[in-house]
Amino acid sequence: MNNIWRAIDREASSAAEHLAIGVTILGKANYAEIAYYGQAFFALSTGFERASKLIIAIDYSLVNGGEFPPNKIIRSYKHDLSALLIKADEIAGRHHVKRRLPDSVIHKNIITLLTQFADNITRYYNLDLITGDPKTIEQVDPIAAWFDQVILPIFNMHVTDKRKTKIQENANLIADHLEKYSIVFHHNEKGDEIRKVKDASFHTGVTDASKPYLRTYVMQIVRFIGAIFSKLGLLAYQSGNVSIPHLSDYFAIFNNDDRYFRKRKTWSIYKP
């Protein structure tokens, strides 16, 4: 094991655990615990960036007889997750990886919003707003955009009419029992006030019902990343490149079907 091997080992495990943590925290996020959204965006954007850049570096090494790319090649991508994932997909195609980058509208929205966050376009939205940065006029709050472009489409597409009816009935029931005796003062992900128990209950129902499918969409992108690492690790072994670890080990936990993704809430590469 040389220094390169150890560096790849640490980078791959760090990327994988960032993605695991991001998915786990994303499952906790809601309008009343809003900070979880930011934590999830940080972890996911970091995980996807580090994983994609490592894929590019390892692929370069396999193609160029064990030589790794100049630092400027990796840095040229900056924090552009969209470009990085497109490059990773090109590498997957060239090496005949069966799994490819998911490209539904919702997947694309997830990647676009995380790219904007990673590239400092929306990462410091709140501070930019507080300090009067003019670019906030053209920006959309990343949490509001996530709710509009990811959570709501998932809710409308995947949550059954029966579940939607039950969410509304529960909200009505809670309102009947508590509305006269309760005071609610919250804001939803879009910044709109929530002043009624009924509205709070309904909004909670929407986010909770969407979470298993939201987790699945994100994990499908993670699973794609893991499939590339698995193939690159195999190619490195076959070529006798001792500087590259058996990469599938880091992402093995993500090699599961969608039903498993919907069920499992807590993720870590150290607790499979």
Short mmCIF file of all heavy atoms in Angstrom, two decimals, residues 83-120:
data_model
loop_
_atom_site.label_atom_id
_atom_site.label_comp_id
_atom_site.label_asym_id
_atom_site.label_seq_id
_atom_site.Cartn_x
_atom_site.Cartn_y
_atom_site.Cartn_z
N ALA A 83 -21.60 19.01 -14.70
CA ALA A 83 -20.52 18.64 -15.63
C ALA A 83 -19.78 17.40 -15.14
O ALA A 83 -19.42 16.52 -15.93
CB ALA A 83 -19.56 19.80 -15.80
N LEU A 84 -19.56 17.32 -13.83
CA LEU A 84 -18.85 16.18 -13.27
C LEU A 84 -19.64 14.88 -13.45
O LEU A 84 -19.07 13.84 -13.82
CB LEU A 84 -18.58 16.41 -11.78
CG LEU A 84 -17.46 17.40 -11.45
CD1 LEU A 84 -17.54 17.84 -9.99
CD2 LEU A 84 -16.09 16.77 -11.74
N LEU A 85 -20.94 14.93 -13.22
CA LEU A 85 -21.76 13.73 -13.35
C LEU A 85 -21.93 13.33 -14.81
O LEU A 85 -22.00 12.13 -15.13
CB LEU A 85 -23.12 13.94 -12.68
CG LEU A 85 -23.07 13.96 -11.14
CD1 LEU A 85 -24.39 14.42 -10.56
CD2 LEU A 85 -22.72 12.57 -10.59
N ILE A 86 -21.98 14.31 -15.70
CA ILE A 86 -22.03 14.00 -17.14
C ILE A 86 -20.74 13.31 -17.57
O ILE A 86 -20.75 12.34 -18.34
CB ILE A 86 -22.27 15.28 -17.96
CG1 ILE A 86 -23.72 15.76 -17.76
CG2 ILE A 86 -22.00 15.04 -19.45
CD1 ILE A 86 -24.01 17.11 -18.37
N LYS A 87 -19.60 13.79 -17.07
CA LYS A 87 -18.32 13.15 -17.36
C LYS A 87 -18.28 11.75 -16.79
O LYS A 87 -17.79 10.80 -17.45
CB LYS A 87 -17.18 14.00 -16.79
CG LYS A 87 -15.79 13.41 -17.04
CD LYS A 87 -15.47 13.32 -18.52
CE LYS A 87 -14.05 12.81 -18.75
NZ LYS A 87 -13.74 12.66 -20.20
N ALA A 88 -18.80 11.58 -15.57
CA ALA A 88 -18.84 10.25 -14.97
C ALA A 88 -19.70 9.31 -15.81
O ALA A 88 -19.36 8.12 -15.99
CB ALA A 88 -19.39 10.33 -13.54
N ASP A 89 -20.79 9.82 -16.36
CA ASP A 89 -21.66 9.00 -17.21
C ASP A 89 -20.95 8.62 -18.51
O ASP A 89 -21.11 7.50 -19.02
CB ASP A 89 -22.95 9.77 -17.51
CG ASP A 89 -24.02 8.89 -18.13
OD1 ASP A 89 -24.22 7.76 -17.62
OD2 ASP A 89 -24.64 9.31 -19.12
N GLU A 90 -20.15 9.53 -19.05
CA GLU A 90 -19.37 9.24 -20.26
C GLU A 90 -18.37 8.12 -19.97
O GLU A 90 -18.18 7.20 -20.77
CB GLU A 90 -18.66 10.51 -20.73
CG GLU A 90 -17.83 10.33 -22.01
CD GLU A 90 -16.38 9.97 -21.71
OE1 GLU A 90 -15.78 10.59 -20.82
OE2 GLU A 90 -15.86 9.04 -22.36
N ILE A 91 -17.75 8.19 -18.79
CA ILE A 91 -16.80 7.15 -18.38
C ILE A 91 -17.52 5.82 -18.20
O ILE A 91 -17.03 4.76 -18.62
CB ILE A 91 -16.08 7.56 -17.07
CG1 ILE A 91 -15.15 8.74 -17.35
CG2 ILE A 91 -15.31 6.39 -16.46
CD1 ILE A 91 -14.58 9.39 -16.09
N ALA A 92 -18.72 5.85 -17.63
CA ALA A 92 -19.52 4.63 -17.45
C ALA A 92 -19.83 4.00 -18.80
O ALA A 92 -19.72 2.77 -18.97
CB ALA A 92 -20.81 4.96 -16.71
N GLY A 93 -20.21 4.81 -19.78
CA GLY A 93 -20.51 4.29 -21.10
C GLY A 93 -19.29 3.68 -21.77
O GLY A 93 -19.37 2.61 -22.40
N ARG A 94 -18.16 4.34 -21.63
CA ARG A 94 -16.92 3.86 -22.27
C ARG A 94 -16.47 2.53 -21.69
O ARG A 94 -15.89 1.70 -22.40
CB ARG A 94 -15.85 4.93 -22.10
CG ARG A 94 -14.53 4.62 -22.76
CD ARG A 94 -13.73 5.84 -23.12
NE ARG A 94 -13.84 6.94 -22.18
CZ ARG A 94 -13.15 7.02 -21.04
NH1 ARG A 94 -12.31 6.07 -20.71
NH2 ARG A 94 -13.28 8.08 -20.26
N HIS A 95 -16.76 2.30 -20.40
CA HIS A 95 -16.36 1.05 -19.75
C HIS A 95 -17.51 0.05 -19.66
O HIS A 95 -17.40 -0.95 -18.94
CB HIS A 95 -15.80 1.35 -18.36
CG HIS A 95 -14.50 2.08 -18.38
ND1 HIS A 95 -13.36 1.59 -18.96
CD2 HIS A 95 -14.15 3.30 -17.88
CE1 HIS A 95 -12.37 2.45 -18.82
NE2 HIS A 95 -12.82 3.50 -18.17
N HIS A 96 -18.58 0.32 -20.37
CA HIS A 96 -19.72 -0.59 -20.45
C HIS A 96 -20.34 -0.90 -19.08
O HIS A 96 -20.70 -2.05 -18.79
CB HIS A 96 -19.32 -1.90 -21.14
CG HIS A 96 -18.64 -1.69 -22.47
ND1 HIS A 96 -19.33 -1.23 -23.58
CD2 HIS A 96 -17.35 -1.84 -22.86
CE1 HIS A 96 -18.49 -1.12 -24.60
NE2 HIS A 96 -17.28 -1.48 -24.20
N VAL A 97 -20.44 0.13 -18.26
CA VAL A 97 -21.13 -0.02 -16.97
C VAL A 97 -22.63 -0.05 -17.25
O VAL A 97 -23.16 0.80 -17.98
CB VAL A 97 -20.79 1.15 -16.02
CG1 VAL A 97 -21.57 1.03 -14.72
CG2 VAL A 97 -19.29 1.19 -15.74
N LYS A 98 -23.32 -1.03 -16.68
CA LYS A 98 -24.74 -1.20 -16.99
C LYS A 98 -25.58 -0.05 -16.45
O LYS A 98 -26.54 0.40 -17.09
CB LYS A 98 -25.24 -2.53 -16.42
CG LYS A 98 -24.67 -3.74 -17.13
CD LYS A 98 -25.24 -5.04 -16.57
CE LYS A 98 -24.68 -6.24 -17.30
NZ LYS A 98 -25.23 -7.52 -16.76
N ARG A 99 -25.26 0.43 -15.27
CA ARG A 99 -26.03 1.53 -14.68
C ARG A 99 -25.52 2.84 -15.25
O ARG A 99 -24.31 3.08 -15.31
CB ARG A 99 -25.93 1.53 -13.16
CG ARG A 99 -26.58 0.32 -12.51
CD ARG A 99 -26.83 0.56 -11.04
NE ARG A 99 -27.34 -0.63 -10.39
CZ ARG A 99 -28.61 -1.02 -10.41
NH1 ARG A 99 -29.50 -0.29 -11.06
NH2 ARG A 99 -29.00 -2.11 -9.78
N ARG A 100 -26.45 3.71 -15.63
CA ARG A 100 -26.08 5.01 -16.16
C ARG A 100 -26.74 6.11 -15.33
O ARG A 100 -27.61 5.84 -14.49
CB ARG A 100 -26.52 5.11 -17.63
CG ARG A 100 -25.92 4.03 -18.52
CD ARG A 100 -24.40 4.11 -18.58
NE ARG A 100 -23.93 5.35 -19.18
CZ ARG A 100 -23.79 5.52 -20.51
NH1 ARG A 100 -24.06 4.53 -21.34
NH2 ARG A 100 -23.36 6.68 -20.98
N LEU A 101 -26.32 7.33 -15.58
CA LEU A 101 -26.84 8.46 -14.80
C LEU A 101 -28.35 8.59 -15.02
O LEU A 101 -28.80 8.79 -16.15
CB LEU A 101 -26.14 9.75 -15.23
CG LEU A 101 -26.56 11.03 -14.54
CD1 LEU A 101 -26.23 10.97 -13.05
CD2 LEU A 101 -25.89 12.24 -15.18
N PRO A 102 -29.16 8.49 -13.96
CA PRO A 102 -30.62 8.65 -14.13
C PRO A 102 -30.94 10.05 -14.67
O PRO A 102 -30.32 11.03 -14.26
CB PRO A 102 -31.15 8.47 -12.70
CG PRO A 102 -30.07 7.75 -11.96
CD PRO A 102 -28.79 8.20 -12.57
N ASP A 103 -31.91 10.13 -15.57
CA ASP A 103 -32.13 11.42 -16.22
C ASP A 103 -33.61 11.82 -16.30
O ASP A 103 -34.01 12.54 -17.21
CB ASP A 103 -31.53 11.42 -17.63
CG ASP A 103 -32.19 10.41 -18.55
OD1 ASP A 103 -32.98 9.57 -18.06
OD2 ASP A 103 -31.91 10.45 -19.77
N SER A 104 -34.41 11.38 -15.32
CA SER A 104 -35.79 11.87 -15.28
C SER A 104 -35.77 13.35 -14.90
O SER A 104 -34.75 13.90 -14.48
CB SER A 104 -36.59 11.09 -14.24
OG SER A 104 -36.22 11.47 -12.92
N VAL A 105 -36.91 14.00 -15.04
CA VAL A 105 -37.00 15.41 -14.69
C VAL A 105 -36.63 15.64 -13.23
O VAL A 105 -35.92 16.59 -12.89
CB VAL A 105 -38.43 15.95 -14.97
CG1 VAL A 105 -38.59 17.37 -14.42
CG2 VAL A 105 -38.71 15.93 -16.47
N ILE A 106 -37.08 14.75 -12.36
CA ILE A 106 -36.79 14.92 -10.94
C ILE A 106 -35.31 14.72 -10.66
O ILE A 106 -34.70 15.47 -9.89
CB ILE A 106 -37.65 13.96 -10.09
CG1 ILE A 106 -39.13 14.37 -10.18
CG2 ILE A 106 -37.19 13.96 -8.63
CD1 ILE A 106 -40.09 13.43 -9.50
N HIS A 107 -34.69 13.71 -11.29
CA HIS A 107 -33.24 13.53 -11.13
C HIS A 107 -32.49 14.77 -11.59
O HIS A 107 -31.54 15.23 -10.94
CB HIS A 107 -32.76 12.32 -11.94
CG HIS A 107 -33.18 11.01 -11.39
ND1 HIS A 107 -34.13 10.21 -11.99
CD2 HIS A 107 -32.80 10.33 -10.26
CE1 HIS A 107 -34.30 9.11 -11.30
NE2 HIS A 107 -33.51 9.15 -10.24
N LYS A 108 -32.90 15.31 -12.73
CA LYS A 108 -32.24 16.50 -13.26
C LYS A 108 -32.41 17.69 -12.33
O LYS A 108 -31.48 18.48 -12.15
CB LYS A 108 -32.79 16.82 -14.66
CG LYS A 108 -32.37 15.82 -15.73
CD LYS A 108 -32.98 16.17 -17.08
CE LYS A 108 -32.54 15.19 -18.15
NZ LYS A 108 -33.18 15.47 -19.46
N ASN A 109 -33.59 17.83 -11.73
CA ASN A 109 -33.81 18.92 -10.78
C ASN A 109 -32.92 18.78 -9.55
O ASN A 109 -32.37 19.77 -9.05
CB ASN A 109 -35.29 18.97 -10.37
CG ASN A 109 -36.19 19.48 -11.47
OD1 ASN A 109 -35.73 20.01 -12.48
ND2 ASN A 109 -37.49 19.34 -11.29
N ILE A 110 -32.79 17.55 -9.06
CA ILE A 110 -31.93 17.31 -7.91
C ILE A 110 -30.49 17.71 -8.23
O ILE A 110 -29.83 18.42 -7.45
CB ILE A 110 -31.99 15.82 -7.50
CG1 ILE A 110 -33.34 15.49 -6.88
CG2 ILE A 110 -30.85 15.47 -6.52
CD1 ILE A 110 -33.58 14.00 -6.66
N ILE A 111 -30.01 17.28 -9.38
CA ILE A 111 -28.63 17.59 -9.77
C ILE A 111 -28.44 19.08 -9.98
O ILE A 111 -27.43 19.66 -9.55
CB ILE A 111 -28.25 16.79 -11.03
CG1 ILE A 111 -28.19 15.29 -10.71
CG2 ILE A 111 -26.90 17.27 -11.59
CD1 ILE A 111 -28.07 14.40 -11.93
N THR A 112 -29.40 19.73 -10.63
CA THR A 112 -29.30 21.17 -10.88
C THR A 112 -29.26 21.95 -9.58
O THR A 112 -28.42 22.85 -9.40
CB THR A 112 -30.47 21.65 -11.74
OG1 THR A 112 -30.40 21.02 -13.03
CG2 THR A 112 -30.43 23.17 -11.93
N LEU A 113 -30.13 21.63 -8.65
CA LEU A 113 -30.20 22.37 -7.39
C LEU A 113 -28.96 22.13 -6.53
O LEU A 113 -28.44 23.06 -5.89
CB LEU A 113 -31.47 22.00 -6.63
CG LEU A 113 -32.78 22.45 -7.30
CD1 LEU A 113 -33.99 21.90 -6.56
CD2 LEU A 113 -32.85 23.96 -7.40
N LEU A 114 -28.47 20.90 -6.52
CA LEU A 114 -27.24 20.63 -5.76
C LEU A 114 -26.03 21.28 -6.43
O LEU A 114 -25.09 21.71 -5.75
CB LEU A 114 -27.01 19.11 -5.63
CG LEU A 114 -27.97 18.37 -4.70
CD1 LEU A 114 -27.67 16.88 -4.71
CD2 LEU A 114 -27.90 18.92 -3.27
N THR A 115 -26.05 21.39 -7.75
CA THR A 115 -24.97 22.08 -8.46
C THR A 115 -24.96 23.56 -8.10
O THR A 115 -23.90 24.14 -7.84
CB THR A 115 -25.14 21.92 -9.99
OG1 THR A 115 -25.04 20.54 -10.33
CG2 THR A 115 -24.06 22.69 -10.74
N GLN A 116 -26.11 24.18 -8.07
CA GLN A 116 -26.20 25.59 -7.70
C GLN A 116 -25.71 25.80 -6.28
O GLN A 116 -25.05 26.81 -5.98
CB GLN A 116 -27.64 26.08 -7.85
CG GLN A 116 -28.12 26.15 -9.29
CD GLN A 116 -29.59 26.46 -9.40
OE1 GLN A 116 -30.32 26.49 -8.40
NE2 GLN A 116 -30.06 26.69 -10.62
N PHE A 117 -26.01 24.86 -5.40
CA PHE A 117 -25.55 24.95 -4.01
C PHE A 117 -24.04 24.76 -3.94
O PHE A 117 -23.33 25.53 -3.28
CB PHE A 117 -26.26 23.89 -3.17
CG PHE A 117 -26.07 24.06 -1.69
CD1 PHE A 117 -26.88 24.92 -0.96
CD2 PHE A 117 -25.08 23.36 -1.02
CE1 PHE A 117 -26.70 25.08 0.41
CE2 PHE A 117 -24.89 23.51 0.34
CZ PHE A 117 -25.70 24.37 1.06
N ALA A 118 -23.53 23.74 -4.63
CA ALA A 118 -22.10 23.46 -4.58
C ALA A 118 -21.27 24.59 -5.18
O ALA A 118 -20.17 24.89 -4.71
CB ALA A 118 -21.81 22.16 -5.34
N ASP A 119 -21.82 25.24 -6.20
CA ASP A 119 -21.07 26.26 -6.94
C ASP A 119 -21.24 27.65 -6.33
O ASP A 119 -20.96 28.66 -6.98
CB ASP A 119 -21.53 26.27 -8.40
CG ASP A 119 -20.44 26.76 -9.34
OD1 ASP A 119 -19.26 26.67 -8.98
OD2 ASP A 119 -20.78 27.25 -10.43
N ASN A 120 -21.69 27.69 -5.07
CA ASN A 120 -21.83 28.95 -4.31
C ASN A 120 -22.86 29.91 -4.91
O ASN A 120 -22.87 31.10 -4.58
CB ASN A 120 -20.48 29.67 -4.18
CG ASN A 120 -19.53 28.92 -3.25
OD1 ASN A 120 -19.96 28.17 -2.40
ND2 ASN A 120 -18.25 29.14 -3.45
#
